[in-house]
């Protein structure tokens, strides 16, 4: 039976790759496009790592599993919690493969920490697999647990690079470490795929999008993609194997940063309280400056181990307060709306939600910069999400125009700026490519949805499709396999949400929660 190797490329975009393909810089990727079927894929809103990796693996939008961004906002309870893997209430493609007797391995996919048991293995990765600020995780990231020792001994495997890239100016050791990690990821994934005779292997390269964010199309990113292309040549040589490339979202150069909570305050939707950061920030004491100095002094590990987390949290960030600390700067009793980054906006149920929503949506549609409207769309949450968790989601979702970064920082005092930290921001336009015995070579096809991947891959593996998957089975299979709808697999949703300071801190370093 034909096996499947899925390579997930965080933030990959044909917008970035097309010029390099045309210049001959990525010959293996060019050959795969010529011999396979490829398309632009469309992500769910917001087009972010959390939730879109789970959109791929579950075939559902966030309304179907209950995570709408890196944080969960509950204004009725007055709290904001960082989400992790236990907050996604859904079965995934590997659960259905296992149910049909197939084995699967998952390597480095965000949304998978803490790891859970499947028939095969899980290696957690991405920004959610951490132990504390500025510190990588070195245990507890695999199921079965002993696999971590094997990965480290055989492949020098690390979940995160050290030193960690945290600035546009860091083009030396930080970039080299990411490129070395790509080698370790591929070596481990290919070896385990072959040695354990797996039916399905998913590998994510999360740190390619970190290069996008900090450098966009500059030389460090080009080197990252050249490294990936070299490995694609090796993967494409596997016998009886389908190779699928996909991304959780796309990316493009950032042209505008829009501080949405500052705008909400300026326009009467949010009322503020003064915080300690308001007094410290004028002296230039920020988290970013402190990290920069610590790196220069080689004291990052020392500070991470000796300075308590609660004291680290008191150092203000350049962009303002984030996550649960946003509520410290807000008089919630007099606040109508609070936003997360990159799209979701939550309304205070103490007010007339529907009248506030109508007014706020109308105002947001009028926000512009020199290039036009900042938002390609302003939507009601229930119009873009489907499933049993819609009521937990945002009342409003903005679709940020390509090149616009919606930043949720509170207290920085600015509403609109030039690009601050990210050279590139996420877009909804990702990539999809399928090549191998199970797929036709159709060349470029019309745009697909990220939700189409799970049902298509299940059918290509000879499995039925659960009724709660909303995507379509793409007409790209070389045969016309017969399949039916099946009952979904129930998952254990125990564990619930938790306050996760360590996850939040890692997200700040990547720029997701500056």
């Amino acid at each position: 039976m034909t096996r499947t190797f899925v390579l997930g490329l965080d933030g990959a975009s044909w917008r970035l790759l097309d010029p390099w393909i045309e210049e001959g810089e990525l010959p293996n990727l060019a050959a795969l496009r010529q011999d396979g079927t490829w398309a632009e894929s469309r992500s769910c809103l917001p087009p972010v790592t959390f939730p879109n990796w789970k959109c791929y693996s579950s075939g559902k939008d966030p309304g179907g599993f209950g995570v709408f961004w890196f944080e969960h906002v509950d204004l009725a309870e007055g709290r904001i919690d960082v989400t992790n893997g236990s907050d996604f209430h859904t079965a995934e493609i590997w659960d259905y493969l296992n149910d049909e007797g197939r084995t699967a391995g998952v390597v480095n996919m965000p949304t998978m920490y803490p790891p859970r048991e499947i028939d095969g293995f899980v290696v957690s990765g991405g920004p959610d697999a951490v132990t504390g600020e500025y510190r990588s995780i070195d245990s507890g990231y695999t199921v079965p647990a002993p696999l971590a020792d094997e990965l480290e001994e055989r492949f020098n495997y690390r979940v995160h690079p050290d030193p960690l890239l945290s600035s546009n100016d860091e083009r030396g050791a930080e970039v080299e470490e990411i490129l070395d990690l790509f080698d370790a990821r591929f070596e481990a994934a290919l070896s385990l795929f072959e040695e354990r005779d797996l039916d399905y292997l998913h590998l994510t390269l999360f740190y390619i999008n970190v290069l996008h964010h900090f450098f966009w199309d500059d030389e460090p990113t080009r080197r990252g993609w050249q490294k990936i292309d070299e490995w694609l040549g090796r993967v494409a040589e596997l016998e009886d194997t389908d190779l699928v490339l996909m991304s959780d979202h796309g990316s493009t150069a950032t042209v505008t940063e829009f501080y949405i909570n500052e705008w909400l305050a300026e326009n009467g939707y949010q009322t503020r309280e003064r915080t300690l950061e308001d007094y410290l920030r004028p002296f230039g004491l920020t988290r970013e400056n402190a990290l920069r100095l610590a790196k220069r002094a080689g004291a990052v590990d020392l500070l991470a181990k000796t300075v308590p987390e609660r004291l680290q949290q008191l150092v203000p960030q350049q962009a303002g307060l984030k996550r649960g600390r946003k509520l410290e700067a807000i008089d919630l009793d007099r606040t109508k709306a609070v936003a997360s980054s990159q799209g979701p906006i939550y309304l205070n149920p103490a007010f007339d939600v529907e009248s506030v929503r109508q007014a706020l949506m109308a105002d947001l549609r009028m926000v512009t910069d020199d290039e036009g409207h900042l938002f390609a769309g302003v939507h009601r949450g229930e119009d873009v999400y489907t499933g049993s968790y819609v009521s937990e989601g945002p009342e409003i979702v903005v679709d940020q125009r390509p090149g616009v970064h919606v930043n949720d920082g509170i207290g920085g005092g600015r509403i609109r700026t030039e690009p601050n930290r990210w050279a590139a921001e996420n877009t909804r336009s990702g990539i999809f490519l399928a090549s191998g015995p199970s797929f036709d070579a159709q060349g470029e096809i019309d745009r697909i949805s990220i939700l189409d991947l799970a049902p298509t891959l299940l059918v290509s593996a000879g499995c039925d499709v659960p009724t709660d998957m909303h995507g379509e089975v793409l007409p790209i299979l070389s045969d016309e396999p017969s399949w039916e709808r099946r009952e979904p697999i129930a998952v254990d949703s125990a564990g619930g949400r938790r306050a996760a300071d360590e996850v939040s801190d890692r997200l700040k370093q990547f720029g997701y929660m500056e």
Side-chain angles (χ1 to χ4, degrees), residues 9 57 60 76 105 143 154 159-160 171 206 377-378 382 440 468:
L9 298 157
S57 63
K60 304 175 186 175
V143 170
R154 293 183 59 191
V159 178
H160 298 293
R171 295 168 176 256
F206 168 76
V378 179
E382 57 266 38
D440 285 335
D468 63 349

Side-chain angles (χ1 to χ4, degrees), residues 308-386:
E309 293 281 347
R310 62 182 180 82
L311 293 182
Q312 295 178 28
Q313 295 293 327
L314 293 178
V315 180
Q317 299 169 61
Q318 183 174 323
L321 296 181
K322 297 275 184 168
R323 196 178 59 86
R325 297 211 63 206
K326 289 187 289 196
L327 297 182
E328 297 176 19
I330 291 172
D331 181 347
L332 191 55
D333 290 338
R334 299 196 295 160
T335 287
K336 299 175 182 177
V338 178
S340 299
S341 282
Q342 299 166 296
I345 302 172
Y346 294 81
L347 303 183
N348 189 344
F351 294 82
D352 183 342
V353 168
E354 200 52 48
S355 64
V356 171
R357 175 155 63 175
Q358 291 180 18
L360 179 52
M361 290 178 68
D363 289 343
L364 288 166
R365 290 186 177 115
M366 300 302 294
V367 179
T368 61
D369 63 4
D370 292 342
E371 297 192 15
H373 292 282
L374 259 61
F375 307 121
V378 179
H379 307 282
R380 298 161 60 94
E382 57 266 38
D383 291 339
V384 295
Y385 300 129
T386 303

